[in-house]
Amino acid sequence: MINLIILDFDDTITDNRLLDFKAFEIPCKNLGIHPPSLKMISSSRKKGLLARDIMQKHLKKIGKSNLLSDFLSKRDTFLSDSKSMYHLQLKKHVIPILSLLKRKKIKCILCSARKNKQMVKSFLKYNKIDSYFFTTYFMHDLGFVIDNIVRSNRVLIKTSLLKQIIKDEHIDPQRVLYVGNSSEDLEAATLLKIHFVYVENDYLNKESDLDITRISNMIDLKQQIQLLVLK
């Protein structure tokens, strides 16, 4: 029986599309250049390309390759500013899921590989969902901060977060359900023998080669929770 649900923050319960576009548009505006189109960003993200790769291609196209470092610096500054979180949106139907778990007294924990945990906490409070989570875990809570752009680092972060939660909760991994949205999330869950549900995202690479339980929206997630947790 599942007694604990762990939800990943980024692109699992949140819609990152607007924030991601603004993280291209605003730095480009500051540099006096046109940003890549939303269509170009979207198609590139579906191929699994990083912001550096997308912008490198765009700058080469407009003859401004020398501005890549300046763009990346301004992008980091934008994303490090708490005001950037105003562009992050909560996915539809997340609150009914959280309400259901709270009513059924199923412990729900949030985790994130983000470096700035205060920004996430402010987002939760602003959207009035902080009270639904038993607790939250962030990279800083592990005692180290590493670059989460590198895939191997993301696997390390997620695995370490899940290990810490299992240790702190004194729970059998088989009684845990982890909901994430990437192959790194799956790899971390598999290493620790945790049940896993993969949230597909039209904006990101769907990684269709993975043989896993998939859901495409929060209504589907609610059904999976009812099947796996509340049966």
Side-chain angles (χ1 to χ4, degrees):
M1 179 179 177
I2 302 294
N3 298 108
L4 174 67
I5 292 183
I6 303 172
L7 294 177
D8 188 57
F9 178 75
D10 295 291
D11 289 309
T12 299
I13 67 168
T14 56
D15 185 338
N16 195 48
R17 288 175 294 180
L18 178 59
L19 174 61
D20 191 38
F21 177 67
K22 290 295 181 181
F24 284 96
E25 181 186 55
I26 292 176
C28 283
K29 185 177 180 180
N30 291 339
L31 290 170
I33 58 176
H34 290 293
S37 67
L38 182 58
K39 182 178 179 181
M40 186 266 198
I41 295 171
S42 179
S43 63
S44 297
R45 287 303 197 190
K46 287 178 181 178
K47 296 174 184 176
L49 296 182
L50 299 175
R52 172 186 286 274
D53 303 320
I54 295 171
M55 202 60 196
Q56 189 171 42
K57 181 179 179 180
H58 177 67
L59 289 174
K60 183 178 181 180
K61 182 178 178 180
I62 63 175
K64 300 283 186 179
S65 295
N66 61 308
L67 294 179
L68 180 61
S69 294
D70 290 335
F71 167 81
L72 293 174
S73 177
K74 290 183 181 299
R75 178 182 170 87
D76 286 342
T77 298
F78 168 76
L79 291 173
S80 298
D81 189 331
S82 59
K83 293 179 181 178
S84 68
M85 297 298 279
Y86 293 134
H87 303 295
L88 186 63
Q89 300 170 317
L90 194 66
K91 282 187 177 177
K92 291 181 179 180
H93 309 300
V94 168
I95 293 179
I97 291 175
L98 297 176
S99 298
L100 174 66
L101 294 175
K102 190 169 186 176
R103 282 199 317 273
K104 297 296 184 178
K105 297 182 179 180
I106 301 295
K107 191 178 288 186
C108 186
I109 291 176
L110 186 76
C111 73
S112 174
R114 280 180 175 259
K115 297 177 182 179
N116 192 328
K117 68 178 184 179
Q118 192 53 51
M119 287 173 64
V120 175
K121 288 188 172 184
S122 295
F123 176 86
L124 299 179
K125 189 173 182 179
Y126 176 77
N127 285 277
K128 300 179 181 179
I129 61 171
D130 51 320
S131 63
Y132 289 110
F133 297 101
F134 175 72
T135 190
T136 54
Y137 281 77
F138 300 92
M139 193 194 322
H140 275 282
D141 299 324
L142 300 172
F144 64 83
V145 176
I146 57 177
D147 187 354
N148 60 9
I149 294 178
V150 181
R151 186 186 187 281
S152 59
N153 285 356
R154 293 198 298 272
V155 173
L156 173 61
I157 294 167
K158 294 299 177 67
T159 304
S160 299
L161 285 169
L162 295 178
K163 273 185 179 179
Q164 191 63 49
I165 293 170
I166 291 170
K167 179 181 177 181
D168 290 350
E169 293 300 314
H170 307 286
I171 191 169
D172 181 347
Q174 284 294 306
R175 293 166 61 191
V176 177
L177 171 64
Y178 179 42
V179 182
N181 71 329
S182 68
S183 59
E184 295 91 340
D185 293 332
L186 170 62
E187 187 170 335
T190 301
L191 285 169
L192 298 174
K193 298 180 180 179
I194 293 173
H195 297 283
F196 181 71
V197 170
Y198 178 88
V199 180
E200 287 187 341
N201 192 320
D202 288 337
Y203 188 63
L204 300 175
N205 179 9
K206 291 187 178 182
E207 302 177 290
S208 57
D209 58 321
L210 301 179
D211 183 20
I212 46 179
T213 301
R214 297 171 177 272
I215 59 106
S216 59
N217 54 60
M218 293 297 103
I219 294 177
D220 289 345
L221 177 57
K222 185 177 180 180
Q223 292 175 343
Q224 281 297 317
I225 287 174
Q226 290 172 325
L227 178 66
L228 297 171
V229 183
L230 303 176
K231 59 182 178 180

